[in-house]
Amino acid sequence: MKRFTIPRDMYYGKGSLEHLKNLDGKKAILVLGGGSMKRFGFVDKALEYLKEAGIETILFENVEPDPSVETVLDGAKAMLEFEPDWIISMGGGSPIDAAKAMWVFYEYPETSFEDIIQPFSFPTLRKKARFIAIPSTSGTATEVTAFSVITDYSNGVKYPLADFNITPDIAILDPELAETMPATLTAHTGMDALTHAVEAYVSTLNSPFTDPLALKSIEMVFDYLPASFEGDMEAREQMHYAQCLAGQAFTNALLGIVHSMAHKTGAIFDTGHIPHGCANAIYLPYVIQFNAKNAEKRYGDIARYIGLQGDTDAELVVALCDKITDYNKKLGIPLTLKEFGIVESEFLDKVKLISERAIEDACTGSNPREISVSEMEELFKCIYYGKKVDF
Ligand code: FE
């Protein structure tokens, strides 16, 4: 038996934050990141709406980027004291991810990270509270996914939590929040969304339920990302929806090795931290060349759907890779790891390690083509030097 799960309700459109005034409940905790939502006035607005709904609200602020175990436990403690019936998280991926994990420890204070590290092993939530996610960036789609990543800084381990229990009940997609994104973040998060949709479409777990979401998302990213990057707010709104469609696809179909590779290379090089979406954007065309041996038809479907020309699937795969490369150029994203600025000697020192780690990543299992450590090393070298993948 298979399962397809997305939030029960989505509210979207300019000003949809206003939905907060329609909530039924007594108490809410609003989980926030570093302060941009406050600065732009969205926290005050949210508090006003919640007051109108007769809901008493407290704030939990300053969730850091890549949220820590400590922050999650602190948040859970605040929830245990205040006993909210709504958990509302607003901001980028980090506060929303953190709030999802806090929710688990609020409802089950006796549980531990070790207990929930096994995917899809969570206890049943919603005994105490329901969950609303309000994203301010357009990429991670954590507002509709079953995932959360929490870091244990004491041992450098990232806990990728996965369970449909933490899929939010309500997602509010108010594009006014996304208008605050700087251009580079818009480019990186947009390419992250494209990667989610492409990987979900070719995943071994793709389904008739996820395919249309992935295809439509890909079409919308290609249509709207460049203008959104240039600051066109109508396009920015469409990107906010496109990334959410991609999220609905990949929370159910999972991802592939572009993400495995990005996860293990983001923070490993002393000569450069590679932002998640930027890493995905660089790796995607090379991974498509590698995966095409098994998934040529699926990539061909994508290319046909967005109107690319080619007589065979092989030609369409080339056209799709060219299109992605073209977008990277337009968005100021480098085409190779060398161009990104990773120093060659450090890359060569670490390529075996990152290859081994990437193979172990949770996203590798649903990639359409199996890959060995030595093939992964070759693939990384193609990405470093900008060589065509022909194995
Ligand atoms: Fe991603």
Side-chain angles (χ1 to χ4, degrees):
M1 185 169 62
K2 292 164 183 168
R3 179 172 174 181
F4 178 90
T5 298
I6 53 176
R8 167 72 174 76
D9 288 304
M10 298 199 355
Y11 296 89
Y12 61 95
K14 280 196 168 84
S16 54
L17 185 63
E18 199 177 347
H19 173 67
L20 293 178
K21 72 181 182 195
N22 304 325
L23 293 181
D24 272 332
K26 291 193 179 71
K27 288 175 165 189
I29 187 166
L30 185 55
V31 180
L32 302 162
S36 66
M37 289 296 99
K38 215 173 202 176
R39 274 198 308 284
F40 289 109
F42 293 113
V43 173
D44 283 345
K45 261 192 193 170
L47 289 172
E48 213 173 284
Y49 294 141
L50 288 163
K51 198 172 166 196
E52 251 182 86
I55 294 175
E56 184 191 351
T57 306
I58 61 165
L59 303 183
F60 185 89
E61 297 178 86
N62 298 317
V63 172
E64 69 277 36
D66 298 322
S68 66
V69 167
E70 288 76 22
T71 298
V72 169
L73 298 179
D74 283 351
K77 194 164 158 255
M79 291 174 187
L80 281 163
E81 279 162 15
F82 184 64
E83 300 188 324
D85 43 29
W86 283 106
I87 297 167
I88 306 173
S89 55
M90 181 160 72
S94 296
I96 300 177
D97 272 16
K100 285 174 169 176
M102 291 170 190
W103 186 19
V104 180
F105 295 106
Y106 167 44
E107 300 223 3
Y108 294 90
E110 304 306 322
T111 204
S112 71
F113 271 95
E114 284 68 31
D115 293 335
I116 58 170
I117 196 69
Q118 194 64 27
F120 301 96
S121 67
F122 284 30
T124 305
L125 297 181
R126 298 170 173 77
K127 309 274 189 208
K128 293 183 181 173
R130 285 186 291 157
F131 193 101
I132 302 177
I134 312 171
S136 66
T137 58
S138 305
T140 70
T142 184
E143 73 277 7
V144 294
T145 72
F147 311 123
S148 159
V149 182
I150 304 301
T151 305
D152 187 340
Y153 288 94
S154 70
N155 55 14
V157 174
K158 284 201 174 198
Y159 294 113
L161 307 178
D163 195 293
F164 287 125
N165 269 290
I166 55 169
T167 301
D169 296 282
I170 297 175
I172 299 179
L173 291 154
D174 188 332
E176 286 178 354
L177 276 70
E179 290 182 6
T180 63
M181 282 194 300
T184 306
L185 186 64
T186 303
H188 291 169
T189 51
M191 291 306 282
D192 186 26
L194 178 69
T195 308
H196 293 155
V198 171
E199 293 213 282
Y201 191 78
V202 301
S203 159
T204 56
L205 295 171
N206 73 69
S207 75
F209 301 99
T210 56
D211 283 353
L213 296 165
L215 287 175
K216 183 67 186 174
S217 172
I218 293 164
E219 180 186 52
M220 288 175 75
V221 173
F222 280 127
D223 283 350
Y224 296 111
L225 182 53
S228 173
F229 174 65
E230 300 292 343
D232 173 338
M233 292 307 164
E234 301 302 317
R236 185 75 57 92
E237 175 174 2
Q238 296 304 315
M239 277 303 301
H240 210 41
Y241 307 151
Q243 63 86 32
C244 182
L245 290 176
Q248 294 175 37
F250 89 81
T251 189
N252 290 288
L254 306 188
L255 296 165
I257 59 171
V258 180
H259 270 77
S260 307
M261 298 164 83
H263 289 155
K264 305 308 177 197
T265 49
I268 192 104
F269 296 113
D270 300 330
T271 50
H273 174 266
I274 316 171
H276 174 71
C278 181
N280 283 332
I282 299 172
Y283 304 165
L284 181 59
Y286 299 91
V287 170
I288 292 176
Q289 290 170 26
F290 175 79
N291 281 346
K293 234 181 197 173
N294 282 12
E296 197 172 67
K297 161 84 175 56
R298 299 286 290 177
Y299 290 122
D301 287 348
I302 293 173
R304 270 184 293 275
Y305 189 81
I306 58 169
L308 296 179
Q309 301 298 316
D311 292 331
T312 62
D313 284 330
E315 285 177 23
L316 286 162
V317 170
V318 173
L320 180 61
C321 290
D322 288 349
K323 176 129 182 157
I324 295 165
T325 302
D326 182 49
Y327 270 59
N328 282 344
K329 286 183 194 160
K330 264 188 210 163
L331 299 167
I333 292 171
L335 305 183
T336 68
L337 274 177
K338 190 173 187 166
E339 196 190 318
F340 180 86
I342 304 300
V343 168
E344 187 174 19
S345 56
E346 189 185 18
F347 170 75
L348 292 173
D349 278 350
K350 292 182 174 164
V351 66
K352 184 152 196 283
L353 177 72
I354 56 177
S355 300
E356 287 166 356
R357 288 186 179 173
I359 300 269
E360 295 299 316
D361 189 88
C363 293
T364 303
S366 45
N367 193 66
R369 183 177 166 193
E370 272 192 50
I371 184 162
S372 67
V373 176
S374 60
E375 284 169 332
M376 184 61 89
E377 273 186 63
E378 271 315 293
L379 184 53
F380 266 122
K381 284 178 184 164
C382 290
I383 293 170
Y384 188 86
Y385 297 106
K387 281 193 316 201
K388 191 174 176 325
V389 180
D390 54 6
F391 55 94

